[in-house]
Amino acid sequence: MSEVRDAVAALLSGHALRAADGGQDDMALRTAFAELTAQGWTRVGLAAELGGNGGTLADAADVAAAATYLGAATPLADQVLIANAGAGLLGITVPETATCVLPAIADASRATCVPWASWASHLLVADRTGGVALVAARDARVTAGTNLAGLPSDAVELDLAVEGAGGADAAALLMQLGALARSVQIAAALRRCQDLSVSYARQRRQFGRTLADLPGIQQELAALAGEVAAAEAASSAAVAAVAARAASTGPMTPTSSAARAVAAAKVRAGLAATAGARSAHQLHGAIGITREYELHVHTRSLWAWRDEYGAERTWAQRLGETVRAAPDGLWASLVPAPA
């Protein structure tokens, strides 16, 4: 675990993130998010000259992963990995008064299924040319909703005419960063599912021995570990690719190598979410579906995050189209040219 993850985990461990019945405690979560904001964690990954606290994209990913692993249902990941990264790549300054900046990618001034919009103080919205602008949330009409995990997934309507930055690919960039954020979160949630499953298998006894001693359980644990490793590897590679692209040539285009890495990560993470959640529930049996037990917090989120910012099918199709259109074909996109 990195120092960043340790620090975020230490802060959140002082908060009761779930209600007594195992559900979400909205007031406690808002209090935790307010403390994260006060200590500057929500501005990690955004340069100081743009209103942030500095730090790399990898630092932002560590912040998001730490909160996700603990089941802290807040917009922290969306803030640091989508809004902060997007603002940094597009050169958008975030004012000091902004306590929660989130993307709301709209079509004809209306966006649906916008994660956490009801928590936002400011929104990154797209203009009609594909550029992105920062607006105050009070200038938009937000209708509350929820996703499969019971997390905020709202509708946003904006009557205000905006002129965005970043050109025609700016809104697409936010979608790519959204896919990156969900890939990182899926990997972290799967890691927590694995740790819960291993702990339960070691404690639960059946037929005179622990579940962990049974060959069938060992095979299922190994399968779950494989999905965790795949999701973590894919999301880490995507974070590194986006960071490298930003450091060298600026914002990624839909056909860049960084965009391909993000697409591959979202596809692989989505597949891992399906298989990993299934394995975790099979390993836990009946207790895994009770509200009081922690597992459902993570598996329901996995099922919701598979679809947010594009499901596997969407990104697989984009990845295939990009590779097919590449001048040097598939092989060149997989293997670097010799030095």
Side-chain angles (χ1 to χ4, degrees), residues 72-207:
T74 71
L76 182 61
D78 295 57
Q79 170 106 31
V80 298
L81 283 175
I82 311 176
N84 288 1
L89 289 168
L90 297 172
I92 297 174
T93 300
V94 176
E96 291 184 7
T97 55
T99 57
C100 182
V101 181
L102 298 172
I105 304 168
D107 179 17
S109 78
R110 177 177 173 81
T112 58
C113 301
V114 179
W116 302 102
S118 53
W119 284 49
S121 66
H122 291 71
L123 295 166
L124 287 171
V125 300
D127 64 19
R128 294 185 181 276
T129 67
V132 170
L134 182 69
V135 301
R138 64 174 178 272
D139 294 327
R141 292 191 299 276
V142 179
T143 304
T146 57
N147 64 13
L148 183 61
L151 304 176
S153 183
D154 311 312
V156 177
E157 292 184 81
L158 185 68
D159 294 331
L160 183 69
V162 297
E163 183 175 347
D169 291 332
L173 171 66
L174 291 186
M175 278 294 293
Q176 291 165 340
L177 293 173
L180 177 66
R182 292 300 178 263
S183 300
V184 169
Q185 288 185 282
I186 286 173
L190 280 172
R191 173 64 67 177
R192 182 57 178 162
C193 288
Q194 180 188 12
D195 290 348
L196 288 171
S197 298
V198 170
S199 177
Y200 179 75
R202 287 174 174 172
Q203 294 173 17
R204 180 79 164 86
R205 298 187 65 83
Q206 192 72 32
F207 308 117

Side-chain angles (χ1 to χ4, degrees), residues 148-303:
L148 183 61
L151 304 176
S153 183
D154 311 312
V156 177
E157 292 184 81
L158 185 68
D159 294 331
L160 183 69
V162 297
E163 183 175 347
D169 291 332
L173 171 66
L174 291 186
M175 278 294 293
Q176 291 165 340
L177 293 173
L180 177 66
R182 292 300 178 263
S183 300
V184 169
Q185 288 185 282
I186 286 173
L190 280 172
R191 173 64 67 177
R192 182 57 178 162
C193 288
Q194 180 188 12
D195 290 348
L196 288 171
S197 298
V198 170
S199 177
Y200 179 75
R202 287 174 174 172
Q203 294 173 17
R204 180 79 164 86
R205 298 187 65 83
Q206 192 72 32
F207 308 117
R209 50 183 173 168
T210 65
L211 293 181
D213 291 327
L214 300 174
I217 297 298
Q218 293 171 358
Q219 291 174 0
E220 198 67 51
L221 286 170
L224 175 55
E227 297 299 338
V228 175
E232 288 180 340
S235 61
S236 295
V239 169
V242 173
R245 178 76 178 183
S248 60
T249 57
M252 53 186 176
T253 64
T255 59
S256 67
S257 59
R260 292 198 299 270
V262 169
K266 188 60 164 70
V267 172
R268 190 60 188 90
L271 295 172
T274 300
R278 181 174 59 245
S279 290
H281 277 289
Q282 288 176 335
L283 288 161
H284 278 85
I287 194 174
I289 62 172
T290 60
R291 184 175 176 84
E292 293 78 10
Y293 191 71
E294 181 185 346
L295 184 64
H296 76 90
V297 173
H298 305 286
T299 54
R300 291 169 66 213
S301 294
L302 288 171
W303 295 327

